[in-house]
Amino acid sequence: IIADGDQKTFDHFREQEIKHGRISMLAIAGYLTTAAGLRFPNMPADIPDGLAAFPALLQTDDGKNVLLQMTAFFAVAEIINREAEWVEGGA
């Protein structure tokens, strides 16, 4: 994958691996929480746990709102956590 030994590419791969590892840990914690029956207040009981929740959420206006909020949060979190390449030192 990284035959030339470029440090910048290696650092990028390391950053991506750490990021995906953290996302995976959060995902399994969320899955186990919902599988145990813990839900947000006022969450409809007919929403299944796991990946089956996405099609179920798309069937209602409130569910679509939830998915829109999730997408907006993920986009903002991704933008905020980017390295500021236009700032000297990448603040």
Side-chain angles (χ1 to χ4, degrees):
I1 293 178
I2 186 165
D4 64 353
D6 183 17
Q7 185 65 38
K8 183 177 179 180
T9 305
F10 176 78
D11 291 342
H12 173 74
F13 284 152
R14 176 177 281 168
E15 178 183 336
Q16 293 300 315
E17 182 179 5
I18 290 170
K19 178 180 177 181
H20 287 100
R22 290 175 179 165
I23 291 170
S24 298
M25 287 186 279
L26 285 171
I28 192 66
Y31 178 80
L32 292 174
T33 301
T34 57
L38 299 172
R39 304 293 172 124
F40 284 113
N42 300 324
M43 181 76 167
D46 60 339
I47 301 294
D49 57 335
L51 293 175
F54 288 103
L57 286 172
L58 286 172
Q59 295 175 359
T60 65
D61 288 337
D62 286 339
K64 290 176 186 174
N65 190 23
V66 168
L67 292 175
L68 180 65
Q69 289 175 16
M70 286 173 51
T71 303
F73 172 77
F74 295 148
V76 169
E78 186 67 29
I79 291 168
I80 288 174
N81 287 309
R82 283 191 180 168
E83 189 170 322
E85 296 172 358
W86 62 89
V87 177
E88 187 176 328

